[in-house]
Amino acid sequence: LLAHARQRLPQRITLHHGDANALPFAAGSFDAAAMALVIVFLADALQAVREMQRVVRSGGMVATYIWDLPQGFPYYTAFAILREIGVLPDRAAPDESTALPQLQALWQNAGLQAVTTAAFAVHQRYPDFAAYWQALQDSASIGARLAALSDAARHDVRNALRSRLPTAADGSITISARAHAVRGINR
């Protein structure tokens, strides 16, 4: 990811690899800190928020956004099919950690002030099923799982997806997703 970002960002932007629970920066180093689509992968989300808070100056902003899991995830249908064929464990309960009240409570528990939340929709249009399928294969969240399937299983997943996705008359597919965001001001 860092190599990909370095190829696309201006050289004046410095990128670092590190641990979200132990950021390699001095206290008060930044005006803002944001965590994109990461919080559900952290063993100690509160510690990560506190670390962002530590490196942000007083009066600075600390924020995150995450998919509203599981149904708000852009590849929800593909993951549902993988669960149906037994590739992924059944996930009957939603991931409550991505709900707005939980995100707000997390930010407040970290001691951030003026905490606000927002929900927003994202719509991605693919010109055809082939473009959508390629996006899935290139995705960090599902690509490796698809690659690990047998050719027959991958074929079945592909056919199931093709039959379930909303396809327009021109063959395009628009995927709608939902994300939740929270921000707060550092004391």
Side-chain angles (χ1 to χ4, degrees):
L1 290 176
L2 287 174
H4 181 79
R6 284 185 180 116
Q7 292 173 357
R8 287 161 177 73
L9 295 172
Q11 288 186 335
R12 65 181 164 74
I13 296 175
T14 304
L15 301 172
H16 297 271
H17 179 268
D19 181 344
N21 289 328
L23 297 174
F25 307 107
S29 297
F30 302 100
D31 294 330
M35 179 187 328
L37 304 174
V38 172
I39 201 158
V40 295
F41 299 105
L42 302 173
D44 189 344
L46 181 59
Q47 175 59 30
V49 175
R50 287 182 174 149
E51 267 299 279
M52 288 195 307
Q53 183 180 17
R54 180 187 66 76
V55 302
V56 170
R57 68 168 172 77
S58 179
M61 183 180 63
V62 175
T64 192
Y65 64 90
I66 188 71
W67 298 117
D68 178 16
L69 299 174
Q71 286 89 354
F73 186 56
Y75 299 140
Y76 171 76
T77 304
F79 273 91
I81 291 168
L82 290 176
R83 281 191 294 280
E84 288 168 15
I85 65 170
V87 172
L88 294 175
D90 185 26
R91 190 174 184 164
D95 187 335
E96 292 298 326
S97 69
T98 67
L100 290 174
Q102 281 76 2
L103 290 171
Q104 181 171 0
L106 180 62
W107 254 236
Q108 289 169 333
N109 289 340
L112 292 156
Q113 305 298 304
V115 175
T116 58
T117 61
F120 55 96
V122 178
H123 308 284
Q124 176 66 43
R125 184 183 176 278
Y126 299 90
D128 54 30
F129 183 80
Y132 174 80
W133 183 251
Q134 187 62 53
L136 278 180
Q137 293 178 98
D138 294 342
S139 166
S141 62
I142 197 169
R145 290 178 172 114
L146 291 172
L149 296 175
S150 68
D151 288 343
R154 199 170 28 262
H155 178 75
D156 290 346
V157 169
R158 185 181 167 101
N159 286 342
L161 270 170
R162 188 185 297 271
S163 71
R164 292 187 197 180
L165 293 175
T167 305
D170 66 357
S172 68
I173 296 169
T174 300
I175 301 296
S176 297
R178 235 178 11 262
H180 288 161
V182 60
R183 71 177 182 178
I185 303 301
N186 199 11
R187 294 187 263 183

